[in-house]
Every structure is written in C-alpha cells, then in structure tokens.
Amino acid sequence: MPQSSASVDAARPQGALMPAPAGKPRKVPRVVVLGGGTVGLYSARRLRRRLGRRDAAIVVVDPRPYMTYAPFLPEAAAGSIDPRNVVAPHRRALKGVDVLQGHVTQIEHAQRRVQITPIEGDAYWVTYDHLVVGLGSVARTLPIPGLADVGIGFKNVEEAIALRNHVLGRIDVAASTWDPELRRKMLTFVFVGGGFAGVEALGEVEDMARYAVRKYGQIDADEMRFVLVEGSRRILPEVNEELGGYTLEQLRKRDIEIFLSTFLSSCVDGHIVLSDGTEFDAETVVWTAGVKANPVLQDSDLPLDKLGRVICNEYLQVTAEDGTVVADAWAAGDCAAVPDLYNPGQFCPPNAQHALREGNHIGDNLALVLRSAEPTIYKHRNVGAVASLGMYKGVAQMFGRIKVRGFLAWVLHRSYHVFAMPTFNRKLRIAAGWTGSVLLRREVVALGSLHDPRAEFRAASVPPKPKVEQTTQATAPTDGATAAPTLPPQKAEKDSPAAKDDAHQA
C-alpha cells in the first residue's frame, strides 16, 4: 500500500494515493522522483538508506516497472545476456519506496505538483515537497523519409529484443528464399550512428549473425552485408582518435562497410539513399544517432537550456539562467545540464557512469538538506570508457591515458558493468549466464512471434469461407483426377532446394 502521507489532487484510480486534508501540512515531507532509470533508482535507494520512513516519503514515477541498464543492451541484443537480467525491477530494488507506473505529462513546480497519466484510466495530480527530475532521454530522430516506418530504435530492452529477433528472423526467411535480389535485401543491415551505442550494437549483432549462419547450409557468410553510417569524420568520439581509428580498422577487417561524413537521406520502403549518392535496399535500419532530453520537460515551468535540458548547478540543484537556485528541485542524468568541474565550461556526458554517481549524490544531498545541513558539490573525474565489439573483442581507454584493445578490453567492459549493475541478484544472474554461454554456446533462435503473440490465434478465429464460394472459384479437372498446383518444370528444376543440393554435390 502507498504511504499514508501521499496525496492526489484530482480524480484518482483505485489504489492511488489519498489526498492530504486541506490546510493541514504533511508530517513527513514527500519526495517525488520523476523517472525510474539510473538516476531515479539510485537517488531513491540512497535517500531511503539515509532517511527512514518517518523522515521522508519517497515516490518514484515511471511508465515501466523496471530500470534498464543501457550499457548491456548490445549484449542482450546478441543473446550474450538474458534480457530479463539487464533490467532491475522497481518493486524489488526500491524497498520502502512507493512506485507509481505511469507517464509524467505535466510538471508545475510552482504549485509543487506533477500530473501522471497511468497506463489505463484518467490522469491525476500528485503533490510533493521536493522534486527529483531523472526523466532521461529519448531517441533524437530527424524528418528522414521512411525512417518512422522502417527504423528500429535502440534505447530500451524491448527494442534490443526486437532487433535480435528481427535479424535472426531475416536470416531464417532468407534461407528459404531463392530470389537473389530479395535475399540481398533481407541480409543487408544498416546502423546509423557511430557513437558508443551504434558501434557496440553493430559489433555485437554482426558477431551474433556470423555465428548464426554457420548452421545454415543455404546461406554463405559473404551474403550478409553490414553497413555503418556516421555523419562525422570519425567513430567513437568518446575515446581518442587512436582507439577510434583502431576500431574502424577492426570493423573493416570484418567486412563491415563504413560511410563517414555521410548522412541517411531516405529509407522509404527499405530503399536506402545516402548523402553521397549511394543507394541499396535493406530490410533492417537501426537508428542510434544521438539522444535528446525527455520532451515532457517542455510542458513544465522548470528552467531549460537551448537543448531542452534542465539547468543545474554543481550541487545538482535546479537553477535559473542567472544561477538562482529553484527551491526544492533537483535534476541529473541525460535530461540535465550538469556542469563538469574537471572540464570548466563543459557538461557531464550523458552516460551511465555519471548518471549512477549523480543519482547517489542527489540522494546524499537531499538527505543533508532535509536534516538542515549544507549540500556538497558533485565532482567526478571520468575513469574511462569501455566498449564491446563482439565476443572477445573490445576497446577501452582508462583514466584518459591507458589504451586497451582486444580481449583484455572486452574483459574490462564486462567486469566494470557487471559491478555497476544494481542488485546482487542481477550481478549473479549475468555472471551465471556468461558462464553458461562459454560452456554451452549462445542460443541463436528467433522468437519473432513474441511481438505479436495473438497473430496465429486471430488467423485461426477467422470463419472459413463457404464451400459454395470455394467451388465456384475453382475449375474442376475434366478427367475426374485431383488437380494439384505444380511449378513449371524449368523453374522447379532450377530453383528448388533439392536442385540446389544436387548441384552442390555434383
């Protein structure tokens, strides 16, 4: 049950928080955390550890019932990690914290209230004393013709699963398709965006696909085509040019085509057109070209910068453009412009390393403020960047100077992120899954029906056509024999799977 101090100021669904009596202040201050991602989960957990239920009531609002650990999405897409293990369920990770599942649709900080729209039912308002904004980011898309129809994002675990099933499904279908143009389109995979997300997703998925086609006698590995499109002159801007160049070289050795200083101009019906004039067909377009702050912030009275991020100071407090602190408001993560004290004039990069530490720091500072103490500044030196490029392959740059490549970098990537994953339960499950993959090999089966599990049931529920209608459309054979459709002799001999096998044996 929700804590007794929580309140709703409009129509509320069954089980929602009860309104506080009018004119009577709450005995326990309420902290509302917007977003259950890395910032939201870690700030709520840290605050609850610092303060008991009698000191603060904490409410986390998110449309999903779990936090997704984004650095593990590429490995989830490749089947190296069970997708259920790259998420931390809120109900399990946030003990002593109320969780509301719904979308934040409006923020009125002057009134100390937020509007929440649940998955089902009417929207309602929740009041608060202190606000933590950790709404994260969404994919930054462009008005490219066809992108909304054929593109696949890579921001959450659902998209990672969908990409895995789609790639393996295209391989399955292509193995039974003899039209060369259609096979070529099915087996062409395009990734747009050469940052960490795009390069890691491409490296892991390509490695998985190459491994999968070993089981297909009808498909040669050379038939698959992987393409990376990047608008800048280099990939992996998060590391130095030397490691970026090394990664570029390694990807090209794997026959991955890379277009630098090139943009996607159109992808209508899977027909890819690049800014340099290159054209080809593909049934897979993965969009990883950047992120932007959650657009719901535009429907708030919080001060935003030109990029739509909440303006913050070094204490992670929300501030106006002139530096004036907005009382009782805190923000961090991808949706906040947090100054980087180690790089004056710049902001902390939107990665999991900073989001995790910023979330913990907000929890500490908010606990200090609620105890009438002074908050502390957030200052973190980047410990490095690690990226996986597939099984046993990776790159890493530690403390700005140490450059690691290959197997050791891959080990550093896995070690760092498994320790950063919240809850011991998830750490153990991920490590056990890796051990099982080494001993038993990873699974490469497509479960495409997961995305529409009722399709077969709907088809079976369609009433059969009347026999009269069927007989009027059919032509009865004159000799009384049963008519059966057959392929033309030449096409059957040339294009049938058996013919291909005979030719191969000959």
Side-chain angles (χ1 to χ4, degrees), residues 278-303:
T278 303
E279 296 187 29
F280 55 90
D281 291 331
E283 288 193 359
T284 306
V285 179
V286 185
W287 182 266
T288 63
V291 296
K292 63 180 179 181
N294 196 311
V296 74
L297 293 171
Q298 301 295 333
D299 294 322
S300 75
D301 55 359
L302 298 173

Side-chain angles (χ1 to χ4, degrees), residues 45-230:
R45 277 162 55 99
R46 181 61 67 93
L47 183 60
R48 177 50 73 219
R49 290 175 182 173
R50 296 286 184 266
L51 301 176
R53 290 175 178 266
R54 295 185 178 182
D55 301 314
I58 307 172
V59 182
V60 173
V61 184
D62 196 274
R64 293 184 174 86
Y66 51 79
M67 182 214 84
T68 301
Y69 190 67
F72 275 150
L73 288 181
E75 293 203 48
S80 300
I81 300 178
D82 189 318
R84 294 173 297 179
N85 295 335
V86 302
V87 300
H90 290 154
R91 309 287 177 179
R92 185 167 190 166
L94 295 173
K95 296 180 180 179
V97 175
D98 290 332
V99 178
L100 294 179
Q101 190 172 348
H103 293 271
V104 177
T105 48
Q106 197 169 345
I107 304 171
E108 294 183 359
H109 185 65
Q111 304 297 324
R112 298 299 191 275
R113 66 177 191 171
V114 295
Q115 186 183 59
I116 300 172
T117 302
I119 305 302
E120 294 185 11
D122 299 328
Y124 55 92
W125 293 87
V126 174
T127 60
Y128 59 84
D129 299 294
H130 299 270
L131 180 69
V132 176
V133 182
L135 290 169
S137 59
V138 299
R140 177 176 58 85
T141 59
L142 300 174
I144 298 173
L147 180 61
D149 298 320
V150 304
I152 301 175
F154 203 73
K155 277 287 294 175
N156 53 59
V157 69
E158 296 91 343
E159 291 173 331
I161 298 172
L163 175 60
R164 168 182 169 80
N165 287 329
H166 176 78
V167 171
L168 293 176
R170 293 301 84 198
I171 295 174
D172 279 334
V173 176
S176 302
T177 302
W178 310 121
D179 184 333
E181 293 298 325
L182 186 55
R183 280 169 64 95
R184 189 176 298 111
K185 183 176 182 179
M186 290 178 179
L187 298 176
T188 300
F189 309 99
V190 180
F191 290 73
V192 184
F196 256 54
V199 170
E200 284 193 295
L202 170 61
E204 290 284 354
V205 171
E206 186 268 349
D207 189 72
M208 174 199 69
R210 301 286 185 196
Y211 175 82
V213 296
R214 299 176 188 175
K215 310 297 182 182
Y216 293 81
Q218 304 93 333
I219 297 179
D220 293 327
D222 294 339
E223 292 186 74
M224 291 193 300
R225 182 183 184 186
F226 286 86
V227 180
L228 176 64
V229 180
E230 167 56 37

Side-chain angles (χ1 to χ4, degrees), residues 198-493:
V199 170
E200 284 193 295
L202 170 61
E204 290 284 354
V205 171
E206 186 268 349
D207 189 72
M208 174 199 69
R210 301 286 185 196
Y211 175 82
V213 296
R214 299 176 188 175
K215 310 297 182 182
Y216 293 81
Q218 304 93 333
I219 297 179
D220 293 327
D222 294 339
E223 292 186 74
M224 291 193 300
R225 182 183 184 186
F226 286 86
V227 180
L228 176 64
V229 180
E230 167 56 37
S232 65
R233 64 178 182 83
R234 55 167 297 195
I235 62 173
L236 292 186
E238 298 88 346
V239 299
N240 61 25
E241 291 204 28
E242 181 182 349
L243 278 182
Y246 167 81
T247 304
L248 186 69
E249 178 184 353
Q250 294 302 308
L251 294 178
R252 283 177 170 162
K253 284 182 178 179
R254 291 157 62 173
D255 295 327
I256 297 174
E257 300 177 37
I258 300 177
F259 292 84
L260 299 178
S261 302
T262 308
F263 301 92
L264 177 65
S265 300
S266 175
C267 55
V268 177
D269 296 329
H271 183 68
I272 309 299
V273 180
L274 303 182
S275 59
D276 64 354
T278 303
E279 296 187 29
F280 55 90
D281 291 331
E283 288 193 359
T284 306
V285 179
V286 185
W287 182 266
T288 63
V291 296
K292 63 180 179 181
N294 196 311
V296 74
L297 293 171
Q298 301 295 333
D299 294 322
S300 75
D301 55 359
L302 298 173
L304 308 178
D305 67 1
K306 295 180 180 180
L307 298 179
R309 301 174 299 182
V310 181
I311 301 174
C312 298
N313 61 13
E314 63 271 23
Y315 299 94
L316 303 181
Q317 297 169 311
V318 177
T319 64
E321 292 186 7
D322 61 0
T324 304
V325 174
V326 177
D328 308 324
W330 309 75
D334 294 4
C335 68
V338 179
D340 187 349
L341 299 185
Y342 280 104
N343 297 285
Q346 300 183 26
F347 299 101
C348 295
N351 57 32
Q353 180 181 156
H354 277 282
L356 187 153
R357 289 168 174 80
E358 289 168 2
N360 282 332
H361 202 83
I362 284 182
D364 290 335
N365 274 354
L366 193 46
L368 289 171
V369 169
L370 290 173
R371 289 175 172 169
S372 301
E374 292 296 321
T376 61
I377 62 173
Y378 172 75
K379 190 175 184 181
H380 171 66
R381 187 184 298 276
N382 199 336
V383 298
V386 289
S388 172
L389 304 178
M391 193 68 76
Y392 311 126
K393 298 176 281 288
V395 293
Q397 181 175 332
M398 311 303 295
F399 307 106
R401 301 181 303 274
I402 304 173
K403 296 179 285 293
V404 187
R405 308 169 183 178
F407 177 75
L408 181 57
W410 176 80
V411 172
L412 287 173
H413 164 82
R414 286 199 163 188
S415 301
Y416 174 82
H417 286 302
V418 76
F419 281 109
M421 185 73 190
T423 76
F424 177 77
N425 175 283
R426 286 299 182 266
K427 290 180 173 67
L428 186 60
R429 288 179 180 272
I430 291 173
W434 284 337
T435 303
S437 296
V438 171
L439 298 176
L440 304 175
R441 305 292 183 179
R442 57 184 173 188
E443 292 288 346
V444 287
V445 61
L447 297 175
S449 59
L450 282 175
H451 309 295
D452 189 7
R454 296 187 63 250
E456 188 172 344
F457 181 79
R458 287 196 303 268
S461 301
V462 176
K465 295 182 179 180
K467 291 184 178 181
V468 176
E469 182 179 347
Q470 293 178 357
T471 55
T472 56
Q473 294 177 357
T475 302
T478 57
D479 57 356
T482 301
T486 58
L487 290 173
Q490 292 182 349
K491 184 175 183 62
E493 293 176 1

